[in-house]
Amino acid sequence: VTRLDKIGKLLEEPAVEVVFHDADYDLRLMHQDYGWHPTNIFDTRITSQLIGLKSFGLAALRDQYLGVKLDKQHQRADWSMRPLTEGMLAYAAQDTAHLLALKDKLEAELRKLDRLEWAREEFGRLEGTRWQEENEAESFFKVKGARDLTRRELALLRELVMWRDEVAKELDRATFRVVGNEVLLSIARTQPQSAADLGAIKGMPRGILERRGQDQLAAVRRGMSVPEDQLPKFPRAQRWDKDAGLDSRVALLKNARDAAATRLSLDPGVLCSRDRLEAIARKNPASTEEMIEVPGVRKWHAAEMGEDFLSALRSAKS
């Protein structure tokens, strides 16, 4: 049994509480890289949101509850470099050294507000977090700003994103450390024909330009050669049959949600997102039991807002 196997077994032991700050991405990486599925999770970020805090970054929480401020010099360091420097290793260790003490403070706040069961329900859902493989050929659709491109520009972006993914795998680093999205979008829009054209693009990394510029230009040429009838376009979003009363039900549910948010001193989006309100409005439940069947609706949602939501839905019918 290797040391890593022992760590994985420890994380999956139900009797051992595992404390994270913003666990989602860590859990996905643990699943992808090692096949681990941690249990008995406590997430300090989720807890801070359920308490009603406006600033829930780890640094802000550490300062507020423990009075601890860390040197920020390593926050913008290149964490893909190997080996990490002694200073970076020390910073990484300090970043979590105070997490257990912070957890105790936040849990005490939860108990005072009688919201510990809310948190436990949220933590239980985290245990099902898995890495979801995506279709790499369509990942360019997710680049922020891609919807503003023409179909020809989308074809260039597709080639550029696939090129960047290959370079990132080769260098074993995050894609944004190869070339940022804004640079790829600029290339797609300007369709450069030469290294000089590439060099004129704001944010273009000099090293990438010198070593990979010709590869980028080749990606541009591939995008330009796609026939008109094969140019990519965004897939149609899922359409719902929209009955005449849906908008009014959503508005009434939003009013009820906002009133509950004020009463509980919580951010309305944290309490119940717009998408979730729309899902409830489509389901139009007649009981809290039916409401809990809506994907994303928690038992604590029904306990805190269920009757108000049902009353709102009944008023929409009258």
Side-chain angles (χ1 to χ4, degrees), residues 156-218:
L156 270 70
L157 182 65
R158 177 174 61 188
E159 295 297 331
L160 290 162
V161 167
M162 288 193 290
W163 162 79
R164 183 179 63 176
D165 288 348
E166 288 301 315
V167 174
K169 288 177 184 176
E170 178 188 332
L171 299 177
D172 191 22
R173 64 176 57 175
T175 54
F176 72 89
R177 294 209 179 272
V178 177
V179 180
N181 286 343
E182 284 302 320
V183 173
L184 296 190
L185 290 168
S186 294
I187 296 174
R189 293 189 191 101
T190 59
Q191 301 164 13
Q193 302 297 307
S194 66
D197 293 340
L198 279 175
I201 292 175
K202 183 179 179 181
M204 173 64 70
R206 181 175 297 276
I208 289 293
L209 177 61
E210 292 174 352
R211 294 190 293 272
R212 313 271 182 170
Q214 291 306 312
D215 295 336
Q216 288 179 303
L217 292 172

Coordinates of all heavy atoms in Angstrom, one line a residue, residues 156-218:
L156 N -12.1 29.5 -36.1 CA -10.8 29.8 -35.7 C -10.6 29.5 -34.3 O -9.6 28.9 -33.8 CB -10.4 31.2 -36.1 CG -9.8 31.5 -37.4 CD1 -10.9 31.3 -38.5 CD2 -9.2 32.9 -37.5
L157 N -11.5 29.9 -33.5 CA -11.4 29.7 -32.0 C -11.4 28.2 -31.7 O -10.6 27.8 -30.8 CB -12.6 30.4 -31.3 CG -12.6 30.2 -29.8 CD1 -11.4 31.0 -29.2 CD2 -13.9 30.7 -29.1
R158 N -12.2 27.4 -32.4 CA -12.1 26.0 -32.2 C -10.7 25.4 -32.4 O -10.2 24.6 -31.6 CB -13.1 25.3 -33.1 CG -13.1 23.8 -33.0 CD -14.2 23.2 -33.8 NE -14.1 23.5 -35.3 CZ -15.0 23.2 -36.2 NH1 -16.1 22.6 -35.8 NH2 -14.8 23.5 -37.4
E159 N -10.1 25.8 -33.5 CA -8.8 25.3 -33.8 C -7.7 25.8 -32.8 O -6.9 25.0 -32.4 CB -8.3 25.7 -35.2 CG -9.2 25.2 -36.3 CD -9.1 23.7 -36.4 OE1 -8.0 23.1 -36.1 OE2 -10.1 23.0 -36.9
L160 N -7.9 27.0 -32.4 CA -6.9 27.6 -31.4 C -7.1 27.0 -30.0 O -6.1 26.7 -29.4 CB -7.2 29.1 -31.3 CG -6.8 29.9 -32.5 CD1 -7.4 31.3 -32.5 CD2 -5.2 30.0 -32.6
V161 N -8.3 26.7 -29.6 CA -8.5 26.0 -28.3 C -7.9 24.6 -28.3 O -7.3 24.2 -27.4 CB -10.0 26.0 -27.9 CG1 -10.3 25.1 -26.7 CG2 -10.5 27.4 -27.6
M162 N -8.2 23.9 -29.4 CA -7.6 22.5 -29.5 C -6.1 22.6 -29.5 O -5.4 21.7 -28.9 CB -8.1 21.8 -30.8 CG -9.6 21.4 -30.6 SD -10.2 20.3 -31.9 CE -10.2 21.3 -33.4
W163 N -5.5 23.6 -30.2 CA -4.0 23.7 -30.2 C -3.6 24.0 -28.8 O -2.6 23.4 -28.3 CB -3.7 24.9 -31.1 CG -2.3 25.4 -30.8 CD1 -1.1 24.9 -31.3 CD2 -1.9 26.5 -30.0 NE1 0.0 25.6 -30.8 CE2 -0.5 26.6 -30.0 CE3 -2.7 27.5 -29.3 CZ2 0.2 27.6 -29.3 CZ3 -2.0 28.5 -28.6 CH2 -0.6 28.5 -28.6
R164 N -4.2 24.9 -28.1 CA -3.8 25.3 -26.7 C -3.9 24.1 -25.8 O -3.0 23.8 -24.9 CB -4.6 26.4 -26.2 CG -4.2 26.9 -24.8 CD -5.0 28.0 -24.3 NE -6.4 27.7 -24.1 CZ -7.3 28.5 -23.6 NH1 -7.0 29.8 -23.2 NH2 -8.6 28.2 -23.4
D165 N -5.0 23.3 -25.9 CA -5.1 22.1 -25.1 C -4.0 21.1 -25.2 O -3.5 20.5 -24.3 CB -6.5 21.4 -25.4 CG -7.7 22.2 -24.9 OD1 -7.5 23.1 -24.1 OD2 -8.8 21.8 -25.3
E166 N -3.6 20.9 -26.5 CA -2.4 20.0 -26.7 C -1.1 20.6 -26.1 O -0.4 19.8 -25.6 CB -2.3 19.8 -28.3 CG -3.4 19.0 -28.9 CD -3.4 17.6 -28.3 OE1 -2.4 17.0 -28.1 OE2 -4.5 17.2 -28.0
V167 N -0.9 21.9 -26.2 CA 0.3 22.5 -25.7 C 0.3 22.3 -24.1 O 1.3 22.0 -23.5 CB 0.4 23.9 -26.1 CG1 1.6 24.6 -25.4 CG2 0.6 24.0 -27.6
A168 N -0.9 22.6 -23.6 CA -1.1 22.5 -22.1 C -0.7 21.1 -21.6 O -0.1 20.9 -20.6 CB -2.5 22.9 -21.7
K169 N -1.2 20.1 -22.3 CA -0.9 18.7 -22.0 C 0.6 18.4 -22.1 O 1.2 17.7 -21.2 CB -1.7 17.7 -22.9 CG -3.2 17.7 -22.6 CD -3.9 16.8 -23.6 CE -5.4 16.8 -23.3 NZ -6.1 16.0 -24.4
E170 N 1.2 18.9 -23.2 CA 2.6 18.6 -23.4 C 3.4 19.3 -22.3 O 4.4 18.7 -21.8 CB 3.0 19.2 -24.7 CG 4.5 19.1 -25.1 CD 4.8 19.9 -26.3 OE1 3.9 20.0 -27.2 OE2 6.0 20.3 -26.4
L171 N 3.1 20.5 -21.9 CA 3.8 21.2 -20.9 C 3.4 20.9 -19.4 O 4.0 21.3 -18.5 CB 3.7 22.7 -21.1 CG 4.2 23.2 -22.5 CD1 4.0 24.7 -22.6 CD2 5.7 22.9 -22.6
D172 N 2.3 20.2 -19.3 CA 1.7 19.8 -18.0 C 1.4 21.1 -17.2 O 1.9 21.2 -16.1 CB 2.6 18.9 -17.2 CG 1.9 18.3 -16.0 OD1 0.7 18.3 -15.9 OD2 2.7 17.9 -15.0
R173 N 0.7 22.0 -17.8 CA 0.3 23.2 -17.1 C -1.1 23.6 -17.5 O -1.7 23.1 -18.4 CB 1.2 24.4 -17.4 CG 1.2 24.8 -18.8 CD 2.1 26.0 -19.0 NE 3.5 25.8 -18.6 CZ 4.5 26.6 -18.8 NH1 4.3 27.8 -19.4 NH2 5.7 26.3 -18.4
A174 N -1.7 24.5 -16.7 CA -3.1 24.9 -16.9 C -3.2 25.7 -18.2 O -2.2 26.3 -18.6 CB -3.6 25.8 -15.8
T175 N -4.3 25.6 -18.9 CA -4.4 26.2 -20.2 C -4.2 27.7 -20.2 O -3.6 28.3 -21.1 CB -5.8 25.9 -20.9 OG1 -6.8 26.3 -19.9 CG2 -5.9 24.4 -21.2
F176 N -4.7 28.4 -19.1 CA -4.6 29.8 -19.0 C -3.1 30.2 -18.9 O -2.8 31.4 -19.1 CB -5.4 30.4 -17.9 CG -4.9 30.1 -16.5 CD1 -4.0 31.0 -15.9 CD2 -5.3 29.0 -15.8 CE1 -3.6 30.8 -14.6 CE2 -4.9 28.8 -14.5 CZ -4.0 29.7 -13.9
R177 N -2.2 29.3 -18.5 CA -0.8 29.6 -18.4 C -0.1 29.4 -19.7 O 1.1 29.7 -19.8 CB -0.2 28.8 -17.3 CG -0.7 29.1 -15.9 CD 0.4 28.9 -14.8 NE -0.1 29.2 -13.5 CZ -0.1 30.4 -12.9 NH1 0.5 31.4 -13.6 NH2 -0.5 30.7 -11.7
V178 N -0.8 28.9 -20.7 CA -0.2 28.8 -22.1 C -0.6 30.1 -22.8 O 0.3 30.9 -23.1 CB -0.8 27.6 -22.8 CG1 -0.3 27.6 -24.2 CG2 -0.4 26.3 -22.1
V179 N -1.9 30.4 -23.0 CA -2.4 31.6 -23.6 C -3.8 31.9 -23.0 O -4.6 30.9 -22.9 CB -2.5 31.5 -25.2 CG1 -3.0 32.8 -25.7 CG2 -1.1 31.2 -25.8
G180 N -4.0 33.1 -22.7 CA -5.3 33.4 -22.1 C -6.4 33.4 -23.1 O -6.2 33.6 -24.3
N181 N -7.7 33.3 -22.7 CA -8.8 33.3 -23.6 C -8.9 34.6 -24.4 O -9.3 34.6 -25.6 CB -10.1 33.2 -22.8 CG -10.3 31.8 -22.2 OD1 -9.7 30.8 -22.7 ND2 -11.2 31.6 -21.3
E182 N -8.6 35.8 -23.8 CA -8.7 37.0 -24.5 C -7.8 37.1 -25.7 O -8.2 37.6 -26.8 CB -8.4 38.2 -23.6 CG -9.5 38.5 -22.6 CD -10.8 38.9 -23.3 OE1 -10.8 39.5 -24.4 OE2 -11.9 38.4 -22.8
V183 N -6.6 36.5 -25.6 CA -5.7 36.4 -26.7 C -6.2 35.5 -27.8 O -6.2 35.9 -29.0 CB -4.3 35.9 -26.2 CG1 -3.4 35.7 -27.4 CG2 -3.7 36.8 -25.3
L184 N -6.8 34.4 -27.4 CA -7.4 33.5 -28.5 C -8.6 34.2 -29.2 O -8.7 34.1 -30.4 CB -7.9 32.2 -27.8 CG -6.8 31.3 -27.2 CD1 -7.4 29.9 -26.9 CD2 -5.6 31.1 -28.2
L185 N -9.4 34.9 -28.4 CA -10.5 35.6 -29.0 C -10.0 36.7 -30.0 O -10.6 36.9 -31.1 CB -11.4 36.3 -27.9 CG -12.2 35.3 -27.1 CD1 -12.8 36.0 -25.9 CD2 -13.3 34.7 -27.9
S186 N -8.9 37.4 -29.6 CA -8.3 38.4 -30.5 C -7.8 37.8 -31.8 O -8.0 38.4 -32.8 CB -7.2 39.2 -29.7 OG -7.7 39.9 -28.6
I187 N -7.2 36.7 -31.6 CA -6.7 36.0 -32.8 C -7.8 35.6 -33.7 O -7.8 35.8 -35.0 CB -5.8 34.7 -32.5 CG1 -4.6 35.1 -31.7 CG2 -5.4 34.0 -33.7 CD1 -3.8 33.9 -31.1
A188 N -8.9 35.1 -33.1 CA -10.0 34.6 -33.9 C -10.7 35.8 -34.7 O -11.1 35.7 -35.8 CB -11.1 34.0 -33.0
R189 N -10.7 37.0 -34.0 CA -11.3 38.2 -34.6 C -10.4 38.8 -35.7 O -10.9 39.2 -36.8 CB -11.6 39.2 -33.6 CG -12.7 38.8 -32.6 CD -13.0 40.0 -31.7 NE -13.9 39.6 -30.6 CZ -13.4 39.5 -29.3 NH1 -12.1 39.7 -29.0 NH2 -14.2 39.1 -28.3
T190 N -9.1 38.9 -35.5 CA -8.2 39.6 -36.4 C -7.6 38.7 -37.5 O -7.1 39.2 -38.5 CB -7.1 40.2 -35.6 OG1 -6.3 39.2 -34.9 CG2 -7.6 41.2 -34.6
Q191 N -7.7 37.4 -37.3 CA -7.2 36.4 -38.3 C -5.8 36.8 -38.8 O -5.6 37.1 -40.0 CB -8.2 36.4 -39.4 CG -9.6 36.0 -39.0 CD -10.7 36.3 -40.0 OE1 -10.4 36.6 -41.1 NE2 -11.9 36.1 -39.5
P192 N -4.8 36.8 -37.9 CA -3.4 37.2 -38.3 C -2.8 36.3 -39.4 O -3.1 35.1 -39.4 CB -2.6 37.1 -37.0 CG -3.4 36.1 -36.2 CD -4.9 36.4 -36.5
Q193 N -2.0 36.9 -40.2 CA -1.4 36.1 -41.3 C 0.1 35.9 -41.1 O 0.8 35.2 -41.9 CB -1.6 36.9 -42.6 CG -3.1 37.1 -42.9 CD -3.8 35.8 -43.1 OE1 -3.4 35.0 -43.9 NE2 -4.9 35.6 -42.4
S194 N 0.7 36.6 -40.1 CA 2.2 36.5 -40.0 C 2.5 36.6 -38.5 O 1.7 37.0 -37.6 CB 2.8 37.7 -40.7 OG 2.5 38.9 -40.1
A195 N 3.8 36.3 -38.2 CA 4.3 36.4 -36.8 C 4.2 37.9 -36.3 O 3.9 38.1 -35.1 CB 5.7 35.9 -36.7
A196 N 4.4 38.8 -37.2 CA 4.3 40.2 -36.8 C 2.9 40.5 -36.4 O 2.6 41.3 -35.5 CB 4.7 41.1 -38.0
D197 N 1.9 40.0 -37.2 CA 0.5 40.2 -36.8 C 0.2 39.6 -35.4 O -0.5 40.3 -34.6 CB -0.4 39.6 -37.8 CG -0.4 40.2 -39.2 OD1 0.1 41.4 -39.3 OD2 -0.7 39.6 -40.2
L198 N 0.7 38.4 -35.2 CA 0.5 37.8 -33.9 C 1.1 38.7 -32.8 O 0.5 38.9 -31.7 CB 1.1 36.4 -33.8 CG 0.3 35.3 -34.5 CD1 1.2 34.0 -34.4 CD2 -1.0 35.0 -33.7
G199 N 2.3 39.2 -33.0 CA 3.0 40.0 -32.0 C 2.3 41.2 -31.7 O 2.5 41.8 -30.6
A200 N 1.5 41.7 -32.6 CA 0.7 43.0 -32.3 C -0.5 42.8 -31.4 O -1.1 43.7 -31.0 CB 0.3 43.6 -33.7
I201 N -0.8 41.5 -31.1 CA -2.0 41.2 -30.3 C -1.6 41.4 -28.8 O -0.7 40.9 -28.3 CB -2.5 39.8 -30.6 CG1 -3.1 39.7 -32.0 CG2 -3.5 39.4 -29.5 CD1 -3.5 38.3 -32.4
K202 N -2.4 42.2 -28.1 CA -2.2 42.5 -26.7 C -2.3 41.3 -25.9 O -3.2 40.5 -26.0 CB -3.3 43.5 -26.3 CG -3.1 44.0 -24.8 CD -4.2 44.9 -24.4 CE -4.0 45.4 -23.0 NZ -5.1 46.3 -22.5
G203 N -1.3 41.1 -25.1 CA -1.2 39.9 -24.1 C -0.6 38.7 -24.7 O -0.5 37.7 -24.0
M204 N -0.2 38.7 -25.9 CA 0.5 37.5 -26.5 C 1.8 37.3 -25.8 O 2.7 38.1 -25.8 CB 0.7 37.8 -28.0 CG 1.6 36.7 -28.7 SD 0.7 35.1 -28.7 CE -0.6 35.4 -29.9
P205 N 2.0 36.1 -25.2 CA 3.2 35.8 -24.5 C 4.4 35.7 -25.5 O 4.3 35.0 -26.5 CB 2.9 34.4 -23.8 CG 1.4 34.3 -23.8 CD 1.0 35.0 -25.0
R206 N 5.5 36.3 -25.1 CA 6.6 36.4 -26.0 C 7.2 34.9 -26.3 O 7.5 34.6 -27.4 CB 7.7 37.2 -25.5 CG 9.0 37.3 -26.4 CD 10.0 38.3 -25.8 NE 9.4 39.7 -25.7 CZ 9.4 40.5 -26.8 NH1 9.9 40.1 -27.9 NH2 8.9 41.7 -26.6
G207 N 7.3 34.1 -25.2 CA 7.8 32.8 -25.4 C 6.9 31.9 -26.3 O 7.5 31.2 -27.2
I208 N 5.6 32.0 -26.2 CA 4.7 31.3 -27.1 C 4.9 31.8 -28.5 O 4.9 31.0 -29.5 CB 3.3 31.5 -26.6 CG1 3.0 30.7 -25.3 CG2 2.3 31.0 -27.6 CD1 3.1 29.2 -25.4
L209 N 5.0 33.1 -28.7 CA 5.1 33.7 -30.0 C 6.4 33.2 -30.7 O 6.4 32.8 -31.9 CB 5.2 35.2 -29.9 CG 5.4 36.0 -31.2 CD1 4.2 35.7 -32.2 CD2 5.5 37.5 -31.0
E210 N 7.5 33.1 -29.9 CA 8.7 32.7 -30.5 C 8.8 31.2 -30.8 O 9.3 30.8 -31.9 CB 9.9 33.1 -29.6 CG 10.1 34.6 -29.4 CD 11.1 34.9 -28.4 OE1 11.6 34.0 -27.6 OE2 11.5 36.1 -28.3
R211 N 8.2 30.4 -29.9 CA 8.3 28.9 -30.0 C 7.1 28.3 -30.7 O 7.2 27.2 -31.3 CB 8.5 28.3 -28.7 CG 9.9 28.6 -28.0 CD 10.1 27.8 -26.8 NE 9.2 28.1 -25.7 CZ 9.4 29.1 -24.8 NH1 10.4 29.8 -24.9 NH2 8.5 29.3 -23.9
R212 N 6.0 28.9 -30.6 CA 4.7 28.3 -31.1 C 4.0 29.2 -32.1 O 2.8 28.8 -32.5 CB 3.8 28.0 -30.0 CG 4.5 27.3 -28.8 CD 4.5 25.8 -28.9 NE 5.1 25.2 -27.7 CZ 5.0 23.9 -27.5 NH1 4.4 23.1 -28.3 NH2 5.6 23.4 -26.4
G213 N 4.5 30.3 -32.5 CA 3.8 31.2 -33.4 C 3.4 30.5 -34.7 O 2.2 30.8 -35.1
Q214 N 4.2 29.8 -35.3 CA 3.9 29.1 -36.6 C 2.7 28.1 -36.4 O 1.9 27.9 -37.3 CB 5.1 28.4 -37.2 CG 6.1 29.4 -37.7 CD 5.6 30.4 -38.7 OE1 4.9 30.1 -39.6 NE2 5.9 31.7 -38.4
D215 N 2.7 27.5 -35.2 CA 1.6 26.5 -34.9 C 0.3 27.3 -34.8 O -0.8 26.8 -35.2 CB 1.9 25.8 -33.6 CG 3.1 24.8 -33.8 OD1 3.4 24.5 -34.9 OD2 3.7 24.5 -32.7
Q216 N 0.3 28.5 -34.2 CA -0.9 29.3 -34.1 C -1.4 29.7 -35.4 O -2.6 29.7 -35.7 CB -0.6 30.5 -33.2 CG -0.4 30.2 -31.7 CD -0.1 31.5 -30.9 OE1 0.8 32.2 -31.2 NE2 -1.0 31.8 -29.9
L217 N -0.5 30.1 -36.3 CA -0.8 30.6 -37.6 C -1.4 29.4 -38.4 O -2.4 29.6 -39.2 CB 0.4 31.2 -38.4 CG 0.9 32.5 -37.8 CD1 2.2 32.9 -38.5 CD2 -0.2 33.6 -38.0
A218 N -0.9 28.2 -38.2 CA -1.5 27.0 -38.8 C -2.9 26.8 -38.4 O -3.7 26.4 -39.2 CB -0.6 25.8 -38.6

